[in-house]
Amino acid sequence: MTLLYLVAGEASGDMLGARLMAALRRRRPDLAFAGVGGERMAEQGFGSLFPMRELALMGFLEVLPNLRRLARRLDETAADIAARRPALIVTIDSPGFTLRVARRAKAQGFRVAHYVAPQVWAWRPGRVKRIAREVDRILALLPFEAPFFEKAGIPVSFVGHSILESGADRGDAARFRETYGLRPEERVLLVMPGSRRSEVGRLLPVFGEALKRLAGRVPDLRPVVPLAGPVEEAVRAAASDWHPAPILLRGVAEKYDAYAAARENGAGLVKSGTSSLEVALAGVPMAVGYRVNPLSAAIARRLIKVRFVSIVNLLADAPVIPEFLQERCTPELLAAELERLLTDPGPVATQRAGFERVMSQLRPARGLPSEAAADAVLAMLDEG
């Protein structure tokens, strides 16, 4: 059987890998898979070389204490590739780890496709020259990435954004309200602090304090927090004293139903990242908040070359979603913005119009994003 070696480093890459595997199998049942992945890829029959959660680190200082372990996992992955001799390697997002895998694999003579363009267009643009030596093709999710990388001589396939396949825009608001006994006038406020422990630790206390202030200004408010596996206990502990008590969700279907309920008369308080794009697809007005370690933030500010951190705003090239970053990520500012979104239809309509413009940019030329990605991978296999 033809072997593809996939390497994902965090939850979003795990989902991309799972959808890619499913799309590839529909076309080529003879394909076999190996590498590093998580729960979603395991559902496709994938056996990971080691637990993917060991790679889900964020921030300069968060990575430093784990460098020795990450180096050991890198060596294990490179050795496994050398032993298995795959026809093609697909590294998926998480460039801090996966591009190191790609570099080692290229040195051994293997071909590499990297799925999700590294955001060097946002910071360290000079890094693109090194990437050109590490990968043979990039599968890009965002339309403006192709010309950037092609200028450096890297072939690019724009495959569209997998968020379009998520189902985030197809939830059932009535089912959610019935399940949790919500009255029609109750407003659903999504609270999404991220899936990494470092994110939850920094964001959830701020988000919780913002909710306390908001509850005194907006009646009938009901916070809803989708739980992510690695941080579930931390979220439960941090939200245990919130008033009103939050609804804690497990599972994707319930989360998307909550999105639908929030779209009707609610809003979202969301950490910067792919989750904001998912909430935008669902049409939920939101405020974005984010904090990292102060030293990490100081370093990032010297390197970042773009106006916005939210993908929605980057694609719109406009502040569609208000961003509250670092020292501006405060309970008072967040509460004031959420109050505006919950009481004034004007900014809600403006955000939704921006969401529609952005989503139209994320579709591939034909088919679904996972199918477009599978087409690009199979074309590389056919090239031999």
Side-chain angles (χ1 to χ4, degrees):
M1 299 180 75
T2 301
L3 177 66
L4 292 182
Y5 202 94
L6 310 183
V7 183
E10 57 184 327
S12 58
D14 179 38
M15 182 59 74
L16 284 172
R19 289 181 181 142
L20 177 62
M21 289 175 65
L24 285 167
R25 281 207 174 107
R26 287 194 291 270
R27 292 162 169 74
R28 287 278 302 273
D30 63 305
L31 293 178
F33 301 92
V36 180
E39 293 179 2
R40 301 287 80 78
M41 292 168 69
E43 291 170 359
Q44 295 291 323
F46 188 88
S48 185
L49 180 64
F50 55 81
M52 186 194 72
R53 62 178 177 272
E54 295 185 15
L55 306 179
L57 301 170
M58 183 71 174
F60 301 101
L61 297 187
E62 289 78 11
V63 170
L64 283 175
N66 297 281
L67 283 177
R68 183 172 296 180
R69 175 167 51 80
L70 292 172
R72 185 170 66 251
R73 291 309 195 189
L74 176 61
D75 289 342
E76 290 177 22
T77 307
D80 195 48
I81 290 170
R84 290 179 178 273
R85 310 296 300 177
L88 181 68
I89 297 160
V90 182
T91 52
I92 307 172
D93 209 359
S94 304
F97 182 81
T98 61
L99 288 183
R100 285 177 169 83
V101 172
R103 189 185 316 151
R104 299 275 287 270
K106 286 285 288 180
Q108 298 177 53
F110 294 101
R111 292 183 306 142
V112 179
H114 186 70
Y115 193 2
V116 184
Q119 293 183 350
V120 291
W121 40 263
W123 65 305
R124 297 178 66 192
R127 177 78 169 79
V128 70
K129 295 178 181 178
R130 173 185 267 183
I131 294 171
R133 300 191 296 270
E134 295 170 336
V135 305
D136 296 284
R137 179 170 291 273
I138 285 175
L139 312 186
L141 275 59
L142 306 176
F144 60 77
E145 292 172 326
F148 176 86
F149 287 97
E150 286 169 346
K151 285 181 182 177
I154 307 174
V156 178
S157 298
F158 169 62
V159 299
H161 205 292
S162 63
I163 203 73
L164 300 174
E165 296 181 65
S166 68
D169 56 339
R170 298 193 292 274
D172 188 326
R175 180 170 60 196
F176 183 80
R177 290 185 175 277
E178 181 179 358
T179 298
Y180 290 98
L182 298 184
R183 303 184 310 276
E185 64 273 18
E186 284 189 269
R187 297 169 176 269
V188 171
L189 181 66
L190 295 171
V191 182
M192 303 182 67
S195 58
R196 299 184 179 96
R197 290 182 177 86
S198 58
E199 291 173 334
V200 169
R202 287 196 173 88
L203 292 177
L204 208 54
V206 180
F207 286 6
E209 185 59 35
L211 290 181
K212 289 179 183 177
R213 299 182 184 213
L214 186 63
R217 306 176 194 174
V218 179
D220 299 311
L221 197 65
R222 193 66 184 272
V224 174
V225 188
L227 296 173
V231 296
E232 180 174 336
E233 291 308 314
V235 171
R236 288 186 184 278
S240 61
D241 63 345
W242 286 7
H243 183 76
I247 297 172
L248 303 179
L249 302 180
R250 297 190 68 179
V252 172
E254 278 201 334
K255 180 174 70 169
Y256 293 166
D257 286 352
Y259 288 177
R263 189 190 191 287
E264 288 183 342
N265 64 353
L269 177 52
V270 185
K271 71 105 180 174
S272 175
T274 304
S275 53
S276 64
L277 195 60
E278 187 177 82
V279 173
L281 176 64
V284 179
M286 77 189 94
V288 161
Y290 204 67
R291 280 185 178 182
V292 295
N293 179 285
L295 181 55
S296 296
I299 295 170
R301 279 175 171 147
R302 293 176 63 88
L303 298 175
I304 289 175
K305 307 296 183 184
V306 293
R307 296 170 57 199
F308 308 107
V309 300
S310 164
I311 299 174
V312 172
N313 290 348
L314 285 168
L315 286 164
D317 194 26
V320 173
I321 303 171
E323 298 179 350
F324 298 89
L325 311 176
Q326 227 38 36
E327 64 275 358
R328 293 192 70 248
C329 185
T330 66
E332 186 54 47
L333 288 176
L334 292 170
E337 181 58 33
L338 290 169
E339 182 180 8
R340 190 170 75 104
L341 292 174
L342 290 164
T343 59
D344 184 350
V348 173
T350 299
Q351 282 201 23
R352 287 179 175 156
F355 297 164
E356 290 181 7
R357 293 195 303 272
V358 166
M359 295 305 156
S360 68
Q361 299 178 48
L362 298 180
R363 303 187 184 282
R366 61 185 180 85
L368 298 171
S370 61
E371 295 169 341
D375 288 343
V377 168
L378 291 176
M380 291 187 71
L381 285 176
D382 290 343
E383 291 167 3

